[in-house]
Amino acid sequence: MDKIGLYLRESYNELVHNVTWPSYSSLQTNTILVLIGSAIFAFTIMAMDVVWKNLVSFIYDLG
């Protein structure tokens, strides 16, 4: 049980004294970049899915 208490105290000390937290403007900028990147990735996967679906449908319609 002492190990858990020591772990919690050291974790708290690390978060309060040693971690450098980003500024609010930096956090906003990075969040926007992640959202844009995720949207681009999602649309790319969607486009690949549509092309693949149409290709497979075309091949099956031949036979």
Side-chain angles (χ1 to χ4, degrees), residues 3-55:
K3 290 183 180 182
I4 294 172
L6 178 63
Y7 171 77
L8 291 175
R9 283 191 300 276
E10 288 179 352
S11 297
Y12 175 78
N13 188 30
E14 181 85 17
L15 287 172
V16 172
H17 299 292
N18 296 337
V19 172
T20 304
W21 297 99
S23 65
Y24 186 72
S25 63
S26 173
L27 191 62
Q28 280 183 320
T29 303
N30 290 338
T31 300
I32 291 170
L33 287 174
V34 167
L35 289 173
I36 291 171
S38 297
I40 290 170
F41 184 72
F43 285 126
T44 302
I45 297 297
M46 184 184 74
M48 291 169 55
D49 186 46
V50 168
V51 168
W52 184 252
K53 183 187 99 176
N54 290 334
L55 180 66

